[in-house]
Amino acid sequence: MSVIIRKSLLELIFSGAFMKRWNDKLRPMELVEVDKQGHKMIVAWLLFLLNSHDLDVARKRALGEAIIEGGIYDYLFRLVITDIKPPVFYRIKENPEDYKTLSKWVLDQLRPRIMPLGEEFMEGMNEYLMQPEDKGLARRILKAAHLYASYSEFKLLKSINTMDHELIEIEESFISRLESLRDLEGVSALLNEDSNVLGGFARMCGRLRFQKRWSQTPRVPETSVLGHMFIVATYSWFFSMEVGACRARRQNNFFCGLFHDLPELLTRDIISPVKGASQEIGDLIHEYENRELLRVVLTPLKDGGYTDIAARLEYLLGLEVGSEFKATVVHNGIIKEASDRQLAGEYNQDSLDPKDGPLLKVADSLAAYIEAHTALKNGISSDQLHHALYRIQQNYNKKPVIAGVQVSALLADFG
């Protein structure tokens, strides 16, 4: 069965923006599932790079794919079991038969909306959920990333929940479970984030949950830059499946989506009309972003001994070619631009490390479209939201197919 991305699947992925976390605790701000997943997958990427140095290329590609797919499976699972408190869920997980029953029910709930991804995806998710105690490297990396991201949230609300009897037990559980994963390279740095550049970078990325998109436009739900990056990454993965991207290209597209708005740590979320007001303003913002990215993120990582991570971020963010939205390959060690036709043809091979900039832009635009469309559907009407929908529709009416994705037809499904 071929993969065909549908409106219902895109809306399912977006629905994590509604899903409240820690909703039995006093919170300084709303903490939502899609933000946590974004933070988790950023940390999983860091641990993936650090723990794959000694792997050959094929095994490294397989590990990257297992981490991304496992992260998406986990997210889809959590969208369905949202109301089960962690202690209750862990008790269910202790009983294999109960856990299999719950997993089968979750798959039945998801099946109508994820069937467009094909039988292979369904079988992969079924196998993943039915073997919860797999001790493989991908699972352990995802577990460590999950614990770190959840612990980061816990520390945000710890100081205002001093009266809560569960607090000490929850923190001890986070620390002991992370300690059990110290053999993974990078986990010690995460546990000592105040004195380590890697831990500092992971914590810095988590701050993107504080930055709200469309900050001058009321919306329901509000979305953060961190959650948006995860949504774009997931959309990029699905579209990569749809267009038959090779393994390296799929992974690059996912991780590029996961970091494409990283510069907004340094500039905040500057809306498109401001960036596009003139060529000079756009160039000025881009220059400032790159300078601050080098000063605050890339140089500290390099000075701290994480040159591979810094180099990979530079490639994903398209610093060599001027934009993350340009298609690139690495040919004989040199990064160069490519066309959609080349990526779909002779450049669609792992050895060239291809990355789909235009496909990423499609995913980014669709995520913005769904944010605006959902807010309007929920009764929040504003000129900015209507204008955003109109602008995106007009852009893709002029060029309905981008990077092999039938964007205009997909937008038509939203009415």
Side-chain angles (χ1 to χ4, degrees):
M1 177 182 174
S2 61
V3 175
I4 303 174
I5 306 305
R6 304 288 190 192
K7 169 191 173 186
S8 61
L9 177 64
L10 300 181
E11 289 183 323
L12 174 66
I13 298 304
F14 181 75
S15 68
F18 291 99
M19 185 176 162
K20 304 291 190 292
R21 291 177 54 77
W22 302 95
N23 61 355
D24 59 341
K25 308 295 181 193
L26 180 61
R27 302 181 297 288
M29 57 178 285
E30 286 294 0
L31 300 171
V32 295
E33 186 65 29
V34 75
D35 293 353
K36 181 266 176 128
Q37 292 293 332
H39 201 193
K40 168 186 169 179
M41 294 309 290
I42 286 172
V43 174
W45 177 79
L46 293 171
L47 296 177
F48 161 54
L49 293 188
L50 292 172
N51 289 276
S52 59
H53 287 307
D54 299 330
L55 301 181
D56 59 45
V57 174
R59 289 171 64 202
K60 186 171 182 175
R61 297 285 185 216
L63 177 61
E65 188 164 276
I67 288 169
I68 293 171
E69 288 186 335
I72 293 173
Y73 296 153
D74 282 335
Y75 175 58
L76 291 170
F77 185 81
R78 288 180 179 276
L79 287 178
V80 178
I81 65 159
T82 172
D83 293 328
I84 303 179
K85 281 192 68 167
V88 178
F89 174 68
Y90 293 137
R91 289 291 298 275
I92 292 172
K93 207 168 181 180
E94 288 171 3
N95 186 313
E97 289 307 312
D98 287 346
Y99 184 75
K100 284 183 179 180
T101 299
L102 176 63
S103 297
K104 185 178 182 305
W105 178 79
V106 168
L107 283 167
D108 288 341
Q109 300 302 304
L110 290 171
R111 189 177 302 277
R113 299 176 82 173
I114 65 175
M115 274 301 290
L117 294 172
E119 279 299 328
E120 187 176 340
F121 184 88
M122 290 292 300
E123 290 169 5
M125 185 168 181
N126 181 72
E127 183 179 345
Y128 182 87
L129 294 180
M130 293 304 174
Q131 297 178 4
E133 298 308 315
D134 183 354
K135 302 297 184 184
L137 182 55
R139 290 274 193 150
R140 300 186 74 239
I141 285 173
L142 286 169
K143 182 178 180 181
H146 156 71
L147 290 169
Y148 175 81
S150 295
Y151 188 31
S152 296
E153 290 179 325
F154 172 82
K155 285 186 281 190
L156 292 175
L157 50 84
K158 177 182 173 182
S159 63
I160 56 174
N161 283 274
T162 53
M163 77 299 289
D164 195 314
H165 70 283
E166 294 181 319
L167 226 58
I168 295 174
E169 184 180 343
I170 291 172
E171 183 160 32
E172 287 177 348
S173 175
F174 277 132
I175 294 172
S176 66
R177 285 183 289 163
L178 277 166
E179 288 283 356
S180 72
L181 295 163
R182 267 189 186 268
D183 59 300
L184 289 175
E185 188 177 346
V187 169
S188 293
L190 295 175
L191 281 165
N192 299 289
E193 59 184 19
D194 292 330
S195 57
N196 184 280
V197 66
L198 184 79
F201 175 63
R203 179 174 59 188
M204 188 189 303
C205 290
R207 282 172 26 207
L208 284 166
R209 65 164 44 87
F210 304 147
Q211 292 191 29
K212 297 302 179 185
R213 285 168 54 77
W214 314 66
S215 58
Q216 297 178 1
T217 306
R219 290 175 303 121
V220 175
E222 289 189 329
T223 47
S224 74
V225 173
L226 184 59
H228 169 76
M229 294 195 308
F230 175 74
I231 290 168
V232 172
T234 307
Y235 287 178
S236 296
W237 180 259
F238 291 156
F239 287 127
S240 298
M241 292 172 61
E242 184 176 51
V243 301
C246 66
R247 180 176 269 180
R249 188 172 150 209
R250 288 200 304 268
Q251 291 178 36
N252 286 339
N253 291 346
F254 179 88
F255 291 126
C256 186
L258 197 60
F259 285 104
H260 77 284
D261 278 341
L262 182 65
E264 290 181 13
L265 269 171
L266 318 166
T267 62
R268 299 187 184 173
D269 181 30
I270 301 173
I271 59 175
S272 297
V274 172
K275 290 181 179 177
S278 74
Q279 184 67 44
E280 289 77 13
I281 291 175
D283 290 344
L284 178 65
I285 292 170
H286 190 61
E287 179 188 342
Y288 178 81
E289 285 178 343
N290 286 348
R291 188 172 68 245
E292 288 299 284
L293 194 64
L294 183 65
R295 183 180 70 86
V296 179
V297 176
L298 299 174
T299 298
L301 283 171
K302 291 174 183 177
D303 291 346
Y306 298 104
T307 53
D308 289 351
I309 290 174
R312 204 63 201 157
L313 275 175
E314 289 174 347
Y315 181 63
L316 293 174
L317 293 173
L319 299 190
E320 186 81 16
V321 296
S323 172
E324 70 274 28
F325 295 129
K326 291 182 179 179
T328 56
V329 294
V330 181
H331 188 65
N332 294 328
I334 298 172
I335 298 170
K336 67 176 191 177
E337 290 185 50
S339 68
D340 288 352
R341 180 173 294 180
Q342 287 173 319
L343 277 188
E346 69 268 29
Y347 287 173
N348 189 32
Q349 50 183 302
D350 290 347
S351 61
L352 293 172
D353 203 20
K355 178 172 68 72
D356 271 295
L359 185 144
L360 172 68
K361 184 62 178 176
V362 167
D364 188 36
S365 298
L366 281 170
Y369 188 92
I370 290 174
E371 287 174 343
H373 183 270
T374 304
L376 289 168
K377 191 169 64 174
N378 287 329
I380 307 295
S381 183
S382 75
D383 291 342
Q384 292 97 323
L385 294 176
H386 284 290
H387 179 70
L389 293 187
Y390 176 78
R391 178 169 50 83
I392 293 170
Q393 285 171 334
Q394 290 303 303
N395 285 343
Y396 290 109
N397 283 340
K398 293 174 186 173
K399 195 172 181 182
V401 181
I402 304 288
V405 179
Q406 302 275 348
V407 192
S408 184
L410 192 52
L411 288 174
D413 288 344
F414 287 88

